[in-house]
């Protein structure tokens, strides 16, 4: 299949395929749009089932970063990279250094940050060979704790703020005490979100592909562990997808009992029309590229002189942005994702006069 005719290709500005025989590195870098600034986005490592699956993911993710940064009012464009491989089995310093050397060749067109399957330490290894990595500097965290550059706390906090805004709009309640939430994915972001929810009095059901992560949530947060094929269909107030994307599809949407979907995962919709499918069922969807912007906000501030309190204030605007999107969607009787896309496109391509294109 030609890249230019790929269904996820959206006039991407740049696409690179990386191969290094000595280290086994196979990666793809996608830059979607740089109208607002350089393309900053995470470097994901995942054992994709095929090269096509990796390509589809990086095209979707990079496009989503353009929309995310625009809605977060950041002077950044959208980009993403994926390394094909199991991070628990195939990651090595040599592989990461090879990735760093390639990033340097791009000359700052794309700036890599932590993502699923990579860590701050991994980006620091890449940084031995490139200046174009972010989220790697030790600094005071916005939550008052020391931070090694990991943006996960900011992502989780922004998701928590956004979830509260969704609950207020859909359920008419300002507190989370007794709220029932199913969290799919208890990784760096999902676990921190679960902590915030637990501290606020919410009751939790959790699932993760790693049993140790689930057990930690059970032991430390009093969460209830459930099977992967059950987590999205539980009779709860909120479903919070915090793992990989495309989990909201024809089958899962038909089985949803929750009235709110608000989670940190990227590209939660399998296809664009699933936004409307949620709306038709009376389920409020917090567009993922809005609610999970805390991490990119944190990383942006690191690059431009970190101020922990300024980061917190900026992350908390996620709730305001979502409230505006929900209100506009209700008034226009249109899905929330369509409204969010329209707002973003006004910001990163104001002169083009194009209609909104759904980010799935």
């Amino acid at each position: 299949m030609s890249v230019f005719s790929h269904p996820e290709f959206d006039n991407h500005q740049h696409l690179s395929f990386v191969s290094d025989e000595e280290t086994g590195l196979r990666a793809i870098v996608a830059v979607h749009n740089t109208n607002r600034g350089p393309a900053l986005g995470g470097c994901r490592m995942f054992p994709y089932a095929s090269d096509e699956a990796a390509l589809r993911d990086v095209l979707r993710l990079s496009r989503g970063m353009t929309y995310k940064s625009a809605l977060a009012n950041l002077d950044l464009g959208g980009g993403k990279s994926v390394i094909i491989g199991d991070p628990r089995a195939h990651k090595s310093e040599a592989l990461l250094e090879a990735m760093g050397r390639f990033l340097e060749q791009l000359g700052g067109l794309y700036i890599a940050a932590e993502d699923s399957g990579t860590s701050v330490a991994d980006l620091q290894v890449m940084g031995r060979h490139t200046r174009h990595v972010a989220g790697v500097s030790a600094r005071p965290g916005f939550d008052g704790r020391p931070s090694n550059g990991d943006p996960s706390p900011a992502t989780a906090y922004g998701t928590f703020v956004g979830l509260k805004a969704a609950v207020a709009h859909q359920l008419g309640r300002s507190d989370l005490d007794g709220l029932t939430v199913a969290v799919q994915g208890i990784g760096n972001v999902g676990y921190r979100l679960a902590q915030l929810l637990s501290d606020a009095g919410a009751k939790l059901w959790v699932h993760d592909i790693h049993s140790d992560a689930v057990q930690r949530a059970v032991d430390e947060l009093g969460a209830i562990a459930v099977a992967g094929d059950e987590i999205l269909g539980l009779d709860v107030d909120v479903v919070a997808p915090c793992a990989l994307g495309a989990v909201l599809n024809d089958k899962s949407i038909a089985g949803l009992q929750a009235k709110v979907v608000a989670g940190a995962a990227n590209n939660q919709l399998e296809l664009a029309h699933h936004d409307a499918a949620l709306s038709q069922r009376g389920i409020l969807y917090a567009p993922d590229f809005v609610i999970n912007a805390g991490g990119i906000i944190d990383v942006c501030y690191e690059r431009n002189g970190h101020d922990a309190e300024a980061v917190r204030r900026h992350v908390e605007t996620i709730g305001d942005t979502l409230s505006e999107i929900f209100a506009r969607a209700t008034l226009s009787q249109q899905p929330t994702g369509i409204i969010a896309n329209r707002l973003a496109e006004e910001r990163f391509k104001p002169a083009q006069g194009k209609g909104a294109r759904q980010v799935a």
Side-chain angles (χ1 to χ4, degrees):
M1 176 184 292
S2 167
V3 169
F4 297 110
S5 62
H6 194 286
E8 300 298 343
F9 183 78
D10 183 37
N11 295 312
H12 282 68
Q13 292 179 202
H14 176 91
L15 194 65
S16 297
F17 295 85
V18 189
S19 177
D20 184 76
E21 184 176 4
E22 182 177 348
T23 64
L25 173 67
R26 290 187 302 144
I28 309 174
V29 176
V31 173
H32 176 251
N33 186 285
T34 57
N35 286 352
R36 292 180 63 94
L40 194 156
C43 175
R44 172 172 292 185
M45 186 169 186
F46 186 76
Y48 293 97
S50 66
D51 296 346
E52 161 62 22
L55 175 61
R56 181 174 186 267
D57 202 31
V58 77
L59 289 173
R60 286 165 58 93
L61 289 166
S62 57
R63 188 177 68 218
M65 289 305 300
T66 299
Y67 285 71
K68 181 184 299 187
S69 291
L71 283 171
N73 285 311
L74 300 174
D75 293 329
L76 295 171
K80 209 80 170 185
S81 59
V82 297
I83 298 174
I84 301 171
D86 183 346
R88 294 195 173 196
H90 302 141
K91 188 190 297 179
S92 68
E93 282 198 19
L95 180 147
L96 295 169
E97 288 187 331
M99 186 66 177
R101 287 191 290 270
F102 177 76
L103 294 178
E104 183 63 19
Q105 293 174 19
L106 295 179
L109 179 67
Y110 165 70
I111 302 162
E114 179 192 10
D115 205 300
S116 176
T118 63
S119 65
V120 171
D122 295 335
L123 270 294
Q124 289 170 339
V125 173
M126 294 181 200
R128 296 172 186 169
H129 300 277
T130 182
R131 299 158 292 163
H132 308 305
V133 292
V136 295
S137 300
R139 58 186 185 269
F142 76 97
D143 56 1
R145 301 174 183 176
S147 171
N148 66 352
D150 180 3
S152 297
T155 303
Y157 182 62
T159 304
F160 176 70
V161 169
L163 187 151
K164 288 197 297 181
V167 166
H169 181 88
Q170 183 77 338
L171 305 180
R173 51 182 297 179
S174 58
D175 71 283
L176 304 186
D177 190 32
L179 189 79
T180 55
V181 184
V183 183
Q184 180 193 46
I186 305 293
N188 286 341
V189 174
Y191 186 81
R192 287 182 169 92
L193 173 62
Q195 279 185 309
L196 292 167
L197 290 167
S198 178
D199 291 344
K203 299 178 181 178
L204 304 174
W205 284 258
V206 300
H207 172 74
D208 194 277
I209 60 173
H210 300 300
S211 59
D212 54 341
V214 173
Q215 193 59 50
R216 181 187 179 196
V218 170
D219 293 342
E220 298 182 7
L221 306 178
I224 299 171
V226 296
D229 59 357
E230 297 176 2
I231 189 72
L232 294 179
L234 293 177
D235 184 10
V236 293
D237 298 314
V238 180
V239 165
C242 295
L244 295 179
V247 297
L248 298 174
N249 50 47
D250 290 340
K251 181 179 179 181
S252 64
I253 291 172
L256 283 174
Q257 298 187 68
K259 291 298 183 184
V260 174
V261 175
N266 286 308
N267 296 325
Q268 294 170 29
L269 305 177
E270 183 177 53
L271 298 170
H273 73 264
H274 289 129
D275 182 25
L278 289 165
S279 179
Q280 289 163 6
R281 290 209 54 216
I283 299 168
L284 182 67
Y285 165 57
D288 50 67
F289 54 97
V290 184
I291 196 171
N292 66 11
I296 195 71
I297 292 170
D298 188 45
V299 170
C300 184
Y301 273 78
E302 178 202 72
R303 288 171 48 79
N304 297 294
H306 189 77
D307 180 330
E309 187 53 36
V311 173
R312 172 184 285 278
R313 291 195 302 269
H314 200 142
V315 169
E316 288 177 348
T317 66
I318 290 172
D320 299 329
T321 301
L322 281 170
S323 294
E324 179 182 355
I325 290 167
F326 298 151
R328 290 192 183 195
T330 299
L331 184 64
S332 66
Q333 293 298 293
Q334 291 185 303
T336 53
I338 290 290
I339 301 300
N341 287 338
R342 196 167 290 155
L343 287 175
E345 290 180 355
E346 289 172 1
R347 296 178 184 181
F348 77 82
K349 50 181 183 181
Q352 295 184 29
K354 295 183 178 180
R357 178 166 191 241
Q358 176 69 15
V359 175

